[in-house]
Amino acid sequence: SCGTGTGTCRRSTTRRRRQPRPAVAEHLLLVGMMGAGKSTVAQLVAARLGRPHIDTDVEVERVAGSTVSELFSTRGETGFRAQESSVLTEVLARSVPAVISVGGGAILDPAQRSALRASGPVVWLRARPDTLARRVGRGAGRPLLVAGGADTSEGPAGALARIDGERRALYEEVASVVIDVDDLTPGAVAERVVSAVGLSPHEHSR
Ligand code: S3P
């Protein structure tokens, strides 16, 4: 407090104040290209933190009752994106803090980018196109990488490089943390995710 006769009057700037925690669940979100390791890493991080793991592709398949590939062939990419968007909205609204691996293309939609950013820390697992290509192989289960995708002549590696180029700025825009995963095992990536977002292992939600 400000006494008399001391010459200066300091306001109590040293008073410790905790940042108020948001009332709604803060999720931890992993974004990035196909083959970046989002699902594998999210599973490890979720186990570390004692949180549920949610994968948007798995949720889409459960809700639609068909695989991602089937959805692309019956309803086209537009139909798949619509389903993905409604699933993402539902998942983000869940009240238990989760670790969510987000399908690689969900960031194409500006509204979904905003929703992701508002839902907790967003970690971009960034990989070079050659790393992605090595990991996805022939692209099985990834309709954008196989015949029937945008360009059948380019092959999975070519498609990955092109799509990566189209999306980099969007991942960048949505991410609060970036991790270069090329030379890291999934376990090492998971460790970096946990320390980057400042959550202690086995923290339980309050
Ligand atoms: C897509 C990524 C896939 C899946 C679909 C489209 C994309 O998910 O949602 O094949 O546009 O990048 P993963 O990122 O989990 O492979």
Side-chain angles (χ1 to χ4, degrees):
S1 62
C2 297
T4 50
T6 56
T8 56
C9 173
R10 284 182 187 245
R11 309 204 60 178
S12 55
T13 51
T14 55
R15 186 163 36 126
R16 275 162 206 268
R17 239 202 233 160
R18 291 196 171 270
Q19 288 291 103
R21 286 177 67 89
V24 294
E26 273 224 337
H27 301 296
L28 169 51
L29 304 127
L30 301 190
V31 302
M33 285 286 290
M34 298 167 269
K38 301 181 293 291
S39 306
T40 306
V41 170
Q43 214 161 331
L44 295 173
V45 170
R48 265 298 284 263
L49 299 179
R51 291 183 177 204
H53 167 223
I54 302 168
D55 185 276
T56 61
D57 287 334
V58 170
E59 292 297 304
V60 163
E61 294 188 337
R62 196 173 56 77
V63 169
S66 54
T67 67
V68 169
S69 298
E70 285 162 0
L71 277 173
F72 266 77
S73 61
T74 57
R75 303 192 216 163
E77 179 168 355
T78 309
F80 170 78
R81 297 290 174 211
Q83 185 70 259
E84 179 179 55
S85 165
S86 86
V87 158
L88 189 64
T89 302
E90 183 273 315
V91 157
L92 294 179
R94 292 188 194 176
S95 54
V96 177
V99 179
I100 304 172
S101 38
V102 180
I107 47 81
L108 291 168
D109 176 38
Q112 288 183 105
R113 291 201 296 280
S114 313
L116 289 167
R117 292 170 62 163
S119 299
V122 180
V123 181
W124 173 21
L125 303 188
R126 183 170 62 186
R128 295 188 309 263
D130 61 293
T131 302
L132 301 172
R134 189 159 24 85
R135 294 186 184 174
V136 305
R138 302 174 73 88
R142 261 105 173 199
L144 292 179
L145 304 182
V146 298
D151 183 344
T152 52
S153 66
E154 61 189 352
L160 280 166
R162 172 181 49 79
I163 296 168
D164 179 64
E166 293 164 359
R167 291 184 185 169
R168 255 174 192 254
L170 303 179
Y171 292 127
E172 174 107 58
E173 179 195 318
V174 79
S176 44
V177 174
V178 182
I179 299 177
D180 285 307
V181 302
D182 301 283
D183 303 318
L184 299 175
T185 62
V189 176
E191 233 167 79
R192 291 191 190 201
V193 170
V194 170
S195 71
V197 299
L199 290 168
S200 27
H202 296 291
E203 178 206 71
H204 288 282
S205 54
R206 284 176 274 179

